[in-house]
PDB file of all heavy atoms in Angstrom:
ATOM      1  N   LEU G   1      -7.921  12.191   2.896  1.00  0.00           N
ATOM      2  CA  LEU G   1      -8.307  10.967   3.601  1.00  0.00           C
ATOM      3  C   LEU G   1      -9.173  10.112   2.677  1.00  0.00           C
ATOM      4  O   LEU G   1     -10.175  10.622   2.123  1.00  0.00           O
ATOM      5  CB  LEU G   1      -9.091  11.298   4.886  1.00  0.00           C
ATOM      6  CG  LEU G   1      -9.181  10.160   5.878  1.00  0.00           C
ATOM      7  CD1 LEU G   1      -7.857   9.947   6.563  1.00  0.00           C
ATOM      8  CD2 LEU G   1     -10.242  10.426   6.910  1.00  0.00           C
ATOM      9  N   VAL G   2      -8.743   8.878   2.388  1.00  0.00           N
ATOM     10  CA  VAL G   2      -9.501   7.990   1.526  1.00  0.00           C
ATOM     11  C   VAL G   2      -9.879   6.700   2.267  1.00  0.00           C
ATOM     12  O   VAL G   2      -9.209   6.376   3.249  1.00  0.00           O
ATOM     13  CB  VAL G   2      -8.702   7.653   0.252  1.00  0.00           C
ATOM     14  CG1 VAL G   2      -8.322   8.931  -0.501  1.00  0.00           C
ATOM     15  CG2 VAL G   2      -7.443   6.832   0.604  1.00  0.00           C
ATOM     16  N   GLU G   3     -10.930   6.047   1.870  1.00  0.00           N
ATOM     17  CA  GLU G   3     -11.396   4.810   2.396  1.00  0.00           C
ATOM     18  C   GLU G   3     -11.578   4.870   3.935  1.00  0.00           C
ATOM     19  O   GLU G   3     -11.364   3.867   4.600  1.00  0.00           O
ATOM     20  CB  GLU G   3     -10.393   3.668   2.010  1.00  0.00           C
ATOM     21  CG  GLU G   3     -10.338   3.454   0.547  1.00  0.00           C
ATOM     22  CD  GLU G   3      -9.343   2.391   0.089  1.00  0.00           C
ATOM     23  OE1 GLU G   3      -8.882   1.646   0.963  1.00  0.00           O
ATOM     24  OE2 GLU G   3      -9.098   2.304  -1.112  1.00  0.00           O
ATOM     25  N   GLY G   4     -11.861   6.056   4.387  1.00  0.00           N
ATOM     26  CA  GLY G   4     -12.220   6.133   5.818  1.00  0.00           C
ATOM     27  C   GLY G   4     -11.114   6.519   6.748  1.00  0.00           C
ATOM     28  O   GLY G   4     -11.332   7.257   7.696  1.00  0.00           O
ATOM     29  N   ASP G   5      -9.916   5.957   6.524  1.00  0.00           N
ATOM     30  CA  ASP G   5      -8.863   6.169   7.541  1.00  0.00           C
ATOM     31  C   ASP G   5      -7.453   6.177   6.975  1.00  0.00           C
ATOM     32  O   ASP G   5      -6.514   6.042   7.720  1.00  0.00           O
ATOM     33  CB  ASP G   5      -9.014   5.121   8.660  1.00  0.00           C
ATOM     34  CG  ASP G   5      -8.686   3.707   8.142  1.00  0.00           C
ATOM     35  OD1 ASP G   5      -8.861   3.455   6.899  1.00  0.00           O
ATOM     36  OD2 ASP G   5      -8.339   2.859   8.964  1.00  0.00           O
ATOM     37  N   ILE G   6      -7.306   6.306   5.641  1.00  0.00           N
ATOM     38  CA  ILE G   6      -5.946   6.247   5.033  1.00  0.00           C
ATOM     39  C   ILE G   6      -5.571   7.621   4.500  1.00  0.00           C
ATOM     40  O   ILE G   6      -6.350   8.219   3.681  1.00  0.00           O
ATOM     41  CB  ILE G   6      -5.913   5.163   3.931  1.00  0.00           C
ATOM     42  CG1 ILE G   6      -6.235   3.806   4.496  1.00  0.00           C
ATOM     43  CG2 ILE G   6      -4.542   5.181   3.248  1.00  0.00           C
ATOM     44  CD1 ILE G   6      -6.486   2.753   3.440  1.00  0.00           C
ATOM     45  N   LEU G   7      -4.428   8.125   4.873  1.00  0.00           N
ATOM     46  CA  LEU G   7      -4.006   9.480   4.418  1.00  0.00           C
ATOM     47  C   LEU G   7      -3.092   9.291   3.208  1.00  0.00           C
ATOM     48  O   LEU G   7      -2.123   8.536   3.221  1.00  0.00           O
ATOM     49  CB  LEU G   7      -3.205  10.164   5.519  1.00  0.00           C
ATOM     50  CG  LEU G   7      -2.657  11.565   5.169  1.00  0.00           C
ATOM     51  CD1 LEU G   7      -3.800  12.562   4.979  1.00  0.00           C
ATOM     52  CD2 LEU G   7      -1.663  12.049   6.195  1.00  0.00           C
ATOM     53  N   LEU G   8      -3.397  10.073   2.124  1.00  0.00           N
ATOM     54  CA  LEU G   8      -2.519  10.162   0.996  1.00  0.00           C
ATOM     55  C   LEU G   8      -2.031  11.635   0.874  1.00  0.00           C
ATOM     56  O   LEU G   8      -2.852  12.568   0.969  1.00  0.00           O
ATOM     57  CB  LEU G   8      -3.280   9.815  -0.295  1.00  0.00           C
ATOM     58  CG  LEU G   8      -3.777   8.354  -0.403  1.00  0.00           C
ATOM     59  CD1 LEU G   8      -4.485   8.172  -1.717  1.00  0.00           C
ATOM     60  CD2 LEU G   8      -2.617   7.347  -0.305  1.00  0.00           C
ATOM     61  N   THR G   9      -0.749  11.829   0.695  1.00  0.00           N
ATOM     62  CA  THR G   9      -0.182  13.157   0.606  1.00  0.00           C
ATOM     63  C   THR G   9      -0.125  13.555  -0.851  1.00  0.00           C
ATOM     64  O   THR G   9      -0.193  12.749  -1.762  1.00  0.00           O
ATOM     65  CB  THR G   9       1.207  13.210   1.206  1.00  0.00           C
ATOM     66  OG1 THR G   9       2.104  12.401   0.411  1.00  0.00           O
ATOM     67  CG2 THR G   9       1.195  12.755   2.646  1.00  0.00           C
ATOM     68  N   ASP G  10       0.086  14.867  -1.099  1.00  0.00           N
ATOM     69  CA  ASP G  10       0.223  15.345  -2.467  1.00  0.00           C
ATOM     70  C   ASP G  10       1.503  14.739  -3.098  1.00  0.00           C
ATOM     71  O   ASP G  10       1.508  14.442  -4.299  1.00  0.00           O
ATOM     72  CB  ASP G  10       0.355  16.860  -2.484  1.00  0.00           C
ATOM     73  CG  ASP G  10      -1.017  17.571  -2.326  1.00  0.00           C
ATOM     74  OD1 ASP G  10      -1.954  17.155  -3.028  1.00  0.00           O
ATOM     75  OD2 ASP G  10      -1.088  18.465  -1.500  1.00  0.00           O
ATOM     76  N   GLU G  11       2.537  14.546  -2.292  1.00  0.00           N
ATOM     77  CA  GLU G  11       3.781  13.950  -2.789  1.00  0.00           C
ATOM     78  C   GLU G  11       3.506  12.559  -3.344  1.00  0.00           C
ATOM     79  O   GLU G  11       3.995  12.140  -4.408  1.00  0.00           O
ATOM     80  CB  GLU G  11       4.812  13.910  -1.705  1.00  0.00           C
ATOM     81  CG  GLU G  11       6.156  13.289  -2.131  1.00  0.00           C
ATOM     82  CD  GLU G  11       7.210  13.246  -1.036  1.00  0.00           C
ATOM     83  OE1 GLU G  11       6.830  13.629   0.100  1.00  0.00           O
ATOM     84  OE2 GLU G  11       8.322  12.796  -1.296  1.00  0.00           O
ATOM     85  N   GLN G  12       2.728  11.769  -2.567  1.00  0.00           N
ATOM     86  CA  GLN G  12       2.379  10.404  -3.013  1.00  0.00           C
ATOM     87  C   GLN G  12       1.593  10.442  -4.288  1.00  0.00           C
ATOM     88  O   GLN G  12       1.755   9.653  -5.205  1.00  0.00           O
ATOM     89  CB  GLN G  12       1.641   9.663  -1.922  1.00  0.00           C
ATOM     90  CG  GLN G  12       2.484   9.314  -0.710  1.00  0.00           C
ATOM     91  CD  GLN G  12       1.679   8.744   0.395  1.00  0.00           C
ATOM     92  OE1 GLN G  12       0.617   9.268   0.758  1.00  0.00           O
ATOM     93  NE2 GLN G  12       2.161   7.645   1.003  1.00  0.00           N
ATOM     94  N   LEU G  13       0.607  11.384  -4.377  1.00  0.00           N
ATOM     95  CA  LEU G  13      -0.242  11.465  -5.556  1.00  0.00           C
ATOM     96  C   LEU G  13       0.510  11.877  -6.787  1.00  0.00           C
ATOM     97  O   LEU G  13       0.130  11.489  -7.920  1.00  0.00           O
ATOM     98  CB  LEU G  13      -1.391  12.425  -5.286  1.00  0.00           C
ATOM     99  CG  LEU G  13      -2.415  11.997  -4.231  1.00  0.00           C
ATOM    100  CD1 LEU G  13      -3.494  13.118  -4.046  1.00  0.00           C
ATOM    101  CD2 LEU G  13      -3.101  10.698  -4.616  1.00  0.00           C
ATOM    102  N   ASN G  14       1.552  12.686  -6.599  1.00  0.00           N
ATOM    103  CA  ASN G  14       2.296  13.194  -7.739  1.00  0.00           C
ATOM    104  C   ASN G  14       3.539  12.366  -8.132  1.00  0.00           C
ATOM    105  O   ASN G  14       4.289  12.734  -9.017  1.00  0.00           O
ATOM    106  CB  ASN G  14       2.715  14.658  -7.501  1.00  0.00           C
ATOM    107  CG  ASN G  14       1.524  15.563  -7.471  1.00  0.00           C
ATOM    108  OD1 ASN G  14       0.641  15.457  -8.305  1.00  0.00           O
ATOM    109  ND2 ASN G  14       1.459  16.484  -6.466  1.00  0.00           N
ATOM    110  N   THR G  15       3.758  11.259  -7.431  1.00  0.00           N
ATOM    111  CA  THR G  15       4.856  10.339  -7.733  1.00  0.00           C
ATOM    112  C   THR G  15       4.452   9.385  -8.807  1.00  0.00           C
ATOM    113  O   THR G  15       3.333   8.894  -8.877  1.00  0.00           O
ATOM    114  CB  THR G  15       5.238   9.528  -6.449  1.00  0.00           C
ATOM    115  OG1 THR G  15       5.636  10.499  -5.418  1.00  0.00           O
ATOM    116  CG2 THR G  15       6.386   8.599  -6.748  1.00  0.00           C
ATOM    117  N   THR G  16       5.396   9.114  -9.700  1.00  0.00           N
ATOM    118  CA  THR G  16       5.163   8.153 -10.766  1.00  0.00           C
ATOM    119  C   THR G  16       5.146   6.754 -10.166  1.00  0.00           C
ATOM    120  O   THR G  16       6.033   6.387  -9.452  1.00  0.00           O
ATOM    121  CB  THR G  16       6.227   8.224 -11.863  1.00  0.00           C
ATOM    122  OG1 THR G  16       6.262   9.562 -12.393  1.00  0.00           O
ATOM    123  CG2 THR G  16       5.981   7.232 -12.970  1.00  0.00           C
ATOM    124  N   HIS G  17       4.050   6.005 -10.509  1.00  0.00           N
ATOM    125  CA  HIS G  17       3.896   4.670  -9.970  1.00  0.00           C
ATOM    126  C   HIS G  17       3.983   3.661 -11.013  1.00  0.00           C
ATOM    127  O   HIS G  17       3.606   3.886 -12.175  1.00  0.00           O
ATOM    128  CB  HIS G  17       2.527   4.576  -9.218  1.00  0.00           C
ATOM    129  CG  HIS G  17       2.363   5.553  -8.129  1.00  0.00           C
ATOM    130  ND1 HIS G  17       2.850   5.324  -6.872  1.00  0.00           N
ATOM    131  CD2 HIS G  17       1.764   6.747  -8.083  1.00  0.00           C
ATOM    132  CE1 HIS G  17       2.556   6.363  -6.094  1.00  0.00           C
ATOM    133  NE2 HIS G  17       1.887   7.234  -6.824  1.00  0.00           N
ATOM    134  N   ASP G  18       4.445   2.433 -10.622  1.00  0.00           N
ATOM    135  CA  ASP G  18       4.428   1.311 -11.547  1.00  0.00           C
ATOM    136  C   ASP G  18       3.027   0.660 -11.406  1.00  0.00           C
ATOM    137  O   ASP G  18       2.685   0.048 -10.362  1.00  0.00           O
ATOM    138  CB  ASP G  18       5.456   0.308 -11.072  1.00  0.00           C
ATOM    139  CG  ASP G  18       5.478  -0.980 -11.915  1.00  0.00           C
ATOM    140  OD1 ASP G  18       4.912  -0.947 -13.043  1.00  0.00           O
ATOM    141  OD2 ASP G  18       6.034  -1.976 -11.433  1.00  0.00           O
ATOM    142  N   ALA G  19       2.227   0.833 -12.436  1.00  0.00           N
ATOM    143  CA  ALA G  19       0.822   0.415 -12.382  1.00  0.00           C
ATOM    144  C   ALA G  19       0.726  -1.103 -12.257  1.00  0.00           C
ATOM    145  O   ALA G  19       1.303  -1.861 -13.013  1.00  0.00           O
ATOM    146  CB  ALA G  19       0.084   0.883 -13.622  1.00  0.00           C
ATOM    147  N   LYS G  20      -0.041  -1.535 -11.233  1.00  0.00           N
ATOM    148  CA  LYS G  20      -0.282  -2.917 -11.026  1.00  0.00           C
ATOM    149  C   LYS G  20      -1.770  -3.094 -10.625  1.00  0.00           C
ATOM    150  O   LYS G  20      -2.313  -2.174  -9.963  1.00  0.00           O
ATOM    151  CB  LYS G  20       0.569  -3.494  -9.906  1.00  0.00           C
ATOM    152  CG  LYS G  20       2.058  -3.479 -10.143  1.00  0.00           C
ATOM    153  CD  LYS G  20       2.791  -4.066  -8.936  1.00  0.00           C
ATOM    154  CE  LYS G  20       4.282  -4.083  -9.184  1.00  0.00           C
ATOM    155  NZ  LYS G  20       4.894  -2.747  -9.139  1.00  0.00           N
ATOM    156  N   PHE G  21      -2.356  -4.145 -11.009  1.00  0.00           N
ATOM    157  CA  PHE G  21      -3.645  -4.490 -10.426  1.00  0.00           C
ATOM    158  C   PHE G  21      -3.547  -5.886  -9.904  1.00  0.00           C
ATOM    159  O   PHE G  21      -3.554  -6.866 -10.677  1.00  0.00           O
ATOM    160  CB  PHE G  21      -4.784  -4.394 -11.467  1.00  0.00           C
ATOM    161  CG  PHE G  21      -6.138  -4.500 -10.863  1.00  0.00           C
ATOM    162  CD1 PHE G  21      -6.727  -3.386 -10.269  1.00  0.00           C
ATOM    163  CD2 PHE G  21      -6.804  -5.702 -10.769  1.00  0.00           C
ATOM    164  CE1 PHE G  21      -7.964  -3.491  -9.650  1.00  0.00           C
ATOM    165  CE2 PHE G  21      -8.035  -5.791 -10.181  1.00  0.00           C
ATOM    166  CZ  PHE G  21      -8.617  -4.683  -9.638  1.00  0.00           C
ATOM    167  N   LEU G  22      -3.297  -6.047  -8.622  1.00  0.00           N
ATOM    168  CA  LEU G  22      -2.900  -7.272  -8.046  1.00  0.00           C
ATOM    169  C   LEU G  22      -3.995  -7.958  -7.239  1.00  0.00           C
ATOM    170  O   LEU G  22      -3.765  -8.482  -6.186  1.00  0.00           O
ATOM    171  CB  LEU G  22      -1.649  -7.094  -7.205  1.00  0.00           C
ATOM    172  CG  LEU G  22      -0.440  -6.575  -7.967  1.00  0.00           C
ATOM    173  CD1 LEU G  22       0.681  -6.149  -7.016  1.00  0.00           C
ATOM    174  CD2 LEU G  22       0.069  -7.642  -8.898  1.00  0.00           C
ATOM    175  N   ARG G  23      -5.200  -7.913  -7.731  1.00  0.00           N
ATOM    176  CA  ARG G  23      -6.323  -8.523  -7.068  1.00  0.00           C
ATOM    177  C   ARG G  23      -6.256 -10.056  -7.273  1.00  0.00           C
ATOM    178  O   ARG G  23      -6.074 -10.548  -8.356  1.00  0.00           O
ATOM    179  CB  ARG G  23      -7.667  -8.004  -7.574  1.00  0.00           C
ATOM    180  CG  ARG G  23      -8.823  -8.434  -6.720  1.00  0.00           C
ATOM    181  CD  ARG G  23     -10.141  -8.068  -7.418  1.00  0.00           C
ATOM    182  NE  ARG G  23     -10.493  -9.087  -8.422  1.00  0.00           N
ATOM    183  CZ  ARG G  23     -11.496  -8.926  -9.228  1.00  0.00           C
ATOM    184  NH1 ARG G  23     -12.240  -7.873  -9.208  1.00  0.00           N
ATOM    185  NH2 ARG G  23     -11.785  -9.868 -10.129  1.00  0.00           N
ATOM    186  N   VAL G  24      -6.472 -10.776  -6.185  1.00  0.00           N
ATOM    187  CA  VAL G  24      -6.650 -12.221  -6.248  1.00  0.00           C
ATOM    188  C   VAL G  24      -7.822 -12.561  -5.394  1.00  0.00           C
ATOM    189  O   VAL G  24      -7.798 -12.321  -4.198  1.00  0.00           O
ATOM    190  CB  VAL G  24      -5.411 -12.987  -5.795  1.00  0.00           C
ATOM    191  CG1 VAL G  24      -5.634 -14.455  -5.866  1.00  0.00           C
ATOM    192  CG2 VAL G  24      -4.203 -12.593  -6.603  1.00  0.00           C
ATOM    193  N   GLY G  25      -8.927 -13.113  -5.911  1.00  0.00           N
ATOM    194  CA  GLY G  25     -10.051 -13.440  -5.123  1.00  0.00           C
ATOM    195  C   GLY G  25     -10.834 -12.186  -4.756  1.00  0.00           C
ATOM    196  O   GLY G  25     -10.673 -11.101  -5.306  1.00  0.00           O
ATOM    197  N   GLU G  26     -11.669 -12.328  -3.754  1.00  0.00           N
ATOM    198  CA  GLU G  26     -12.630 -11.249  -3.435  1.00  0.00           C
ATOM    199  C   GLU G  26     -12.473 -10.713  -2.014  1.00  0.00           C
ATOM    200  O   GLU G  26     -12.569  -9.524  -1.786  1.00  0.00           O
ATOM    201  CB  GLU G  26     -14.065 -11.772  -3.606  1.00  0.00           C
ATOM    202  CG  GLU G  26     -14.427 -12.053  -5.052  1.00  0.00           C
ATOM    203  CD  GLU G  26     -14.516 -10.776  -5.889  1.00  0.00           C
ATOM    204  OE1 GLU G  26     -15.343  -9.898  -5.549  1.00  0.00           O
ATOM    205  OE2 GLU G  26     -13.777 -10.661  -6.869  1.00  0.00           O
ATOM    206  N   THR G  27     -12.264 -11.532  -1.017  1.00  0.00           N
ATOM    207  CA  THR G  27     -12.330 -11.066   0.376  1.00  0.00           C
ATOM    208  C   THR G  27     -11.252 -11.727   1.219  1.00  0.00           C
ATOM    209  O   THR G  27     -11.524 -12.445   2.182  1.00  0.00           O
ATOM    210  CB  THR G  27     -13.704 -11.415   0.993  1.00  0.00           C
ATOM    211  OG1 THR G  27     -14.019 -12.785   0.789  1.00  0.00           O
ATOM    212  CG2 THR G  27     -14.800 -10.564   0.409  1.00  0.00           C
ATOM    213  N   GLU G  28     -10.023 -11.465   0.896  1.00  0.00           N
ATOM    214  CA  GLU G  28      -8.929 -12.030   1.606  1.00  0.00           C
ATOM    215  C   GLU G  28      -8.117 -10.936   2.359  1.00  0.00           C
ATOM    216  O   GLU G  28      -8.358  -9.770   2.162  1.00  0.00           O
ATOM    217  CB  GLU G  28      -7.999 -12.771   0.644  1.00  0.00           C
ATOM    218  CG  GLU G  28      -8.698 -13.831  -0.221  1.00  0.00           C
ATOM    219  CD  GLU G  28      -8.313 -13.764  -1.678  1.00  0.00           C
ATOM    220  OE1 GLU G  28      -7.985 -12.683  -2.123  1.00  0.00           O
ATOM    221  OE2 GLU G  28      -8.407 -14.779  -2.337  1.00  0.00           O
ATOM    222  N   GLN G  29      -7.131 -11.352   3.124  1.00  0.00           N
ATOM    223  CA  GLN G  29      -6.199 -10.368   3.691  1.00  0.00           C
ATOM    224  C   GLN G  29      -5.323  -9.823   2.554  1.00  0.00           C
ATOM    225  O   GLN G  29      -4.889 -10.544   1.707  1.00  0.00           O
ATOM    226  CB  GLN G  29      -5.312 -10.985   4.776  1.00  0.00           C
ATOM    227  CG  GLN G  29      -5.915 -10.863   6.177  1.00  0.00           C
ATOM    228  CD  GLN G  29      -6.939 -11.926   6.473  1.00  0.00           C
ATOM    229  OE1 GLN G  29      -7.420 -12.594   5.593  1.00  0.00           O
ATOM    230  NE2 GLN G  29      -7.292 -12.023   7.713  1.00  0.00           N
ATOM    231  N   TYR G  30      -5.102  -8.502   2.633  1.00  0.00           N
ATOM    232  CA  TYR G  30      -4.319  -7.806   1.582  1.00  0.00           C
ATOM    233  C   TYR G  30      -3.273  -6.951   2.185  1.00  0.00           C
ATOM    234  O   TYR G  30      -3.394  -6.417   3.275  1.00  0.00           O
ATOM    235  CB  TYR G  30      -5.234  -6.939   0.699  1.00  0.00           C
ATOM    236  CG  TYR G  30      -6.206  -7.713  -0.139  1.00  0.00           C
ATOM    237  CD1 TYR G  30      -7.443  -8.108   0.335  1.00  0.00           C
ATOM    238  CD2 TYR G  30      -5.837  -8.093  -1.449  1.00  0.00           C
ATOM    239  CE1 TYR G  30      -8.302  -8.840  -0.459  1.00  0.00           C
ATOM    240  CE2 TYR G  30      -6.695  -8.811  -2.227  1.00  0.00           C
ATOM    241  CZ  TYR G  30      -7.926  -9.204  -1.716  1.00  0.00           C
ATOM    242  OH  TYR G  30      -8.797  -9.946  -2.497  1.00  0.00           O
ATOM    243  N   ARG G  31      -2.149  -6.791   1.433  1.00  0.00           N
ATOM    244  CA  ARG G  31      -1.157  -5.838   1.782  1.00  0.00           C
ATOM    245  C   ARG G  31      -0.950  -4.864   0.619  1.00  0.00           C
ATOM    246  O   ARG G  31      -1.370  -5.146  -0.459  1.00  0.00           O
ATOM    247  CB  ARG G  31       0.152  -6.551   2.116  1.00  0.00           C
ATOM    248  CG  ARG G  31       0.799  -7.249   0.917  1.00  0.00           C
ATOM    249  CD  ARG G  31       2.148  -7.799   1.271  1.00  0.00           C
ATOM    250  NE  ARG G  31       2.798  -8.558   0.241  1.00  0.00           N
ATOM    251  CZ  ARG G  31       3.556  -8.032  -0.712  1.00  0.00           C
ATOM    252  NH1 ARG G  31       3.756  -6.729  -0.776  1.00  0.00           N
ATOM    253  NH2 ARG G  31       4.147  -8.783  -1.609  1.00  0.00           N
ATOM    254  N   THR G  32      -0.209  -3.799   0.887  1.00  0.00           N
ATOM    255  CA  THR G  32       0.150  -2.926  -0.208  1.00  0.00           C
ATOM    256  C   THR G  32       1.505  -3.405  -0.775  1.00  0.00           C
ATOM    257  O   THR G  32       2.050  -4.386  -0.260  1.00  0.00           O
ATOM    258  CB  THR G  32       0.358  -1.481   0.300  1.00  0.00           C
ATOM    259  OG1 THR G  32       1.509  -1.430   1.181  1.00  0.00           O
ATOM    260  CG2 THR G  32      -0.895  -0.987   1.054  1.00  0.00           C
ATOM    261  N   THR G  33       1.992  -2.717  -1.776  1.00  0.00           N
ATOM    262  CA  THR G  33       3.356  -3.017  -2.229  1.00  0.00           C
ATOM    263  C   THR G  33       4.405  -2.349  -1.422  1.00  0.00           C
ATOM    264  O   THR G  33       5.601  -2.512  -1.621  1.00  0.00           O
ATOM    265  CB  THR G  33       3.475  -2.547  -3.702  1.00  0.00           C
ATOM    266  OG1 THR G  33       3.019  -1.182  -3.810  1.00  0.00           O
ATOM    267  CG2 THR G  33       2.627  -3.402  -4.619  1.00  0.00           C
ATOM    268  N   ASN G  34       3.966  -1.556  -0.408  1.00  0.00           N
ATOM    269  CA  ASN G  34       4.901  -0.872   0.531  1.00  0.00           C
ATOM    270  C   ASN G  34       4.909  -1.608   1.874  1.00  0.00           C
ATOM    271  O   ASN G  34       3.856  -1.696   2.508  1.00  0.00           O
ATOM    272  CB  ASN G  34       4.481   0.587   0.750  1.00  0.00           C
ATOM    273  CG  ASN G  34       4.431   1.380  -0.570  1.00  0.00           C
ATOM    274  OD1 ASN G  34       5.230   1.095  -1.427  1.00  0.00           O
ATOM    275  ND2 ASN G  34       3.450   2.254  -0.678  1.00  0.00           N
ATOM    276  N   LEU G  35       6.057  -2.085   2.283  1.00  0.00           N
ATOM    277  CA  LEU G  35       6.196  -2.762   3.568  1.00  0.00           C
ATOM    278  C   LEU G  35       7.337  -2.179   4.343  1.00  0.00           C
ATOM    279  O   LEU G  35       8.126  -1.371   3.855  1.00  0.00           O
ATOM    280  CB  LEU G  35       6.468  -4.272   3.318  1.00  0.00           C
ATOM    281  CG  LEU G  35       5.308  -5.027   2.615  1.00  0.00           C
ATOM    282  CD1 LEU G  35       5.720  -6.483   2.380  1.00  0.00           C
ATOM    283  CD2 LEU G  35       4.009  -5.025   3.472  1.00  0.00           C
ATOM    284  N   VAL G  36       7.462  -2.572   5.578  1.00  0.00           N
ATOM    285  CA  VAL G  36       8.514  -2.112   6.469  1.00  0.00           C
ATOM    286  C   VAL G  36       9.700  -3.089   6.357  1.00  0.00           C
ATOM    287  O   VAL G  36       9.518  -4.330   6.398  1.00  0.00           O
ATOM    288  CB  VAL G  36       8.057  -2.044   7.934  1.00  0.00           C
ATOM    289  CG1 VAL G  36       9.200  -1.694   8.840  1.00  0.00           C
ATOM    290  CG2 VAL G  36       6.890  -1.029   8.091  1.00  0.00           C
ATOM    291  N   ASN G  37      10.867  -2.561   6.152  1.00  0.00           N
ATOM    292  CA  ASN G  37      12.069  -3.389   6.141  1.00  0.00           C
ATOM    293  C   ASN G  37      12.411  -3.798   7.567  1.00  0.00           C
ATOM    294  O   ASN G  37      12.669  -3.001   8.451  1.00  0.00           O
ATOM    295  CB  ASN G  37      13.274  -2.623   5.545  1.00  0.00           C
ATOM    296  CG  ASN G  37      13.062  -2.311   4.059  1.00  0.00           C
ATOM    297  OD1 ASN G  37      12.321  -3.051   3.374  1.00  0.00           O
ATOM    298  ND2 ASN G  37      13.750  -1.309   3.578  1.00  0.00           N
ATOM    299  N   VAL G  38      12.429  -5.098   7.798  1.00  0.00           N
ATOM    300  CA  VAL G  38      12.743  -5.595   9.158  1.00  0.00           C
ATOM    301  C   VAL G  38      14.023  -6.355   9.262  1.00  0.00           C
ATOM    302  O   VAL G  38      14.545  -6.583  10.347  1.00  0.00           O
ATOM    303  CB  VAL G  38      11.551  -6.497   9.669  1.00  0.00           C
ATOM    304  CG1 VAL G  38      10.308  -5.677   9.793  1.00  0.00           C
ATOM    305  CG2 VAL G  38      11.330  -7.696   8.780  1.00  0.00           C
ATOM    306  N   GLY G  39      14.560  -6.836   8.100  1.00  0.00           N
ATOM    307  CA  GLY G  39      15.850  -7.599   8.155  1.00  0.00           C
ATOM    308  C   GLY G  39      15.673  -8.815   9.038  1.00  0.00           C
ATOM    309  O   GLY G  39      14.696  -9.562   8.906  1.00  0.00           O
ATOM    310  N   SER G  40      16.614  -9.025   9.910  1.00  0.00           N
ATOM    311  CA  SER G  40      16.533 -10.185  10.846  1.00  0.00           C
ATOM    312  C   SER G  40      15.727  -9.857  12.090  1.00  0.00           C
ATOM    313  O   SER G  40      15.555 -10.699  12.947  1.00  0.00           O
ATOM    314  CB  SER G  40      17.921 -10.607  11.266  1.00  0.00           C
ATOM    315  OG  SER G  40      18.629  -9.512  11.866  1.00  0.00           O
ATOM    316  N   GLY G  41      15.202  -8.634  12.150  1.00  0.00           N
ATOM    317  CA  GLY G  41      14.385  -8.215  13.294  1.00  0.00           C
ATOM    318  C   GLY G  41      14.463  -6.725  13.460  1.00  0.00           C
ATOM    319  O   GLY G  41      15.481  -6.081  13.222  1.00  0.00           O
ATOM    320  N   ARG G  42      13.327  -6.071  13.824  1.00  0.00           N
ATOM    321  CA  ARG G  42      13.311  -4.658  13.964  1.00  0.00           C
ATOM    322  C   ARG G  42      12.223  -4.252  15.015  1.00  0.00           C
ATOM    323  O   ARG G  42      11.124  -4.824  15.009  1.00  0.00           O
ATOM    324  CB  ARG G  42      12.973  -3.954  12.629  1.00  0.00           C
ATOM    325  CG  ARG G  42      12.962  -2.423  12.733  1.00  0.00           C
ATOM    326  CD  ARG G  42      12.772  -1.864  11.332  1.00  0.00           C
ATOM    327  NE  ARG G  42      12.699  -0.394  11.378  1.00  0.00           N
ATOM    328  CZ  ARG G  42      12.485   0.355  10.307  1.00  0.00           C
ATOM    329  NH1 ARG G  42      12.365  -0.144   9.120  1.00  0.00           N
ATOM    330  NH2 ARG G  42      12.467   1.697  10.428  1.00  0.00           N
ATOM    331  N   THR G  43      12.565  -3.309  15.834  1.00  0.00           N
ATOM    332  CA  THR G  43      11.612  -2.798  16.859  1.00  0.00           C
ATOM    333  C   THR G  43      11.186  -1.425  16.408  1.00  0.00           C
ATOM    334  O   THR G  43      11.946  -0.532  16.136  1.00  0.00           O
ATOM    335  CB  THR G  43      12.278  -2.706  18.230  1.00  0.00           C
ATOM    336  OG1 THR G  43      12.632  -4.057  18.668  1.00  0.00           O
ATOM    337  CG2 THR G  43      11.312  -2.111  19.252  1.00  0.00           C
ATOM    338  N   ILE G  44       9.861  -1.236  16.396  1.00  0.00           N
ATOM    339  CA  ILE G  44       9.250   0.057  16.043  1.00  0.00           C
ATOM    340  C   ILE G  44       8.804   0.750  17.313  1.00  0.00           C
ATOM    341  O   ILE G  44       8.060   0.190  18.142  1.00  0.00           O
ATOM    342  CB  ILE G  44       7.988  -0.186  15.158  1.00  0.00           C
ATOM    343  CG1 ILE G  44       8.375  -0.965  13.887  1.00  0.00           C
ATOM    344  CG2 ILE G  44       7.371   1.168  14.788  1.00  0.00           C
ATOM    345  CD1 ILE G  44       9.404  -0.321  13.013  1.00  0.00           C
TER     346      ILE G  44
END
């Protein structure tokens, strides 16, 4: 558990990642590089 409430698995930690540092500004809304595919619409 990191940053209070985010779970990282061993599989995620041992996966090769494309290193990016995508900070813009200081205190804005942020997303990860991982999103949900929704296409033209999707119900979760």
Side-chain angles (χ1 to χ4, degrees):
L1 198 73
V2 302
E3 297 179 11
D5 65 337
I6 299 168
L7 178 70
L8 296 179
T9 65
D10 283 312
E11 180 181 2
Q12 289 172 315
L13 292 178
N14 292 316
T15 299
T16 301
H17 301 277
D18 178 19
K20 296 180 179 72
F21 190 83
L22 296 170
R23 189 188 82 187
V24 180
E26 292 291 301
T27 51
E28 305 134 331
Q29 268 81 348
Y30 290 89
R31 66 174 176 87
T32 69
T33 51
N34 301 326
L35 296 176
V36 176
N37 293 335
V38 295
S40 59
R42 181 174 179 183
T43 297
I44 304 300

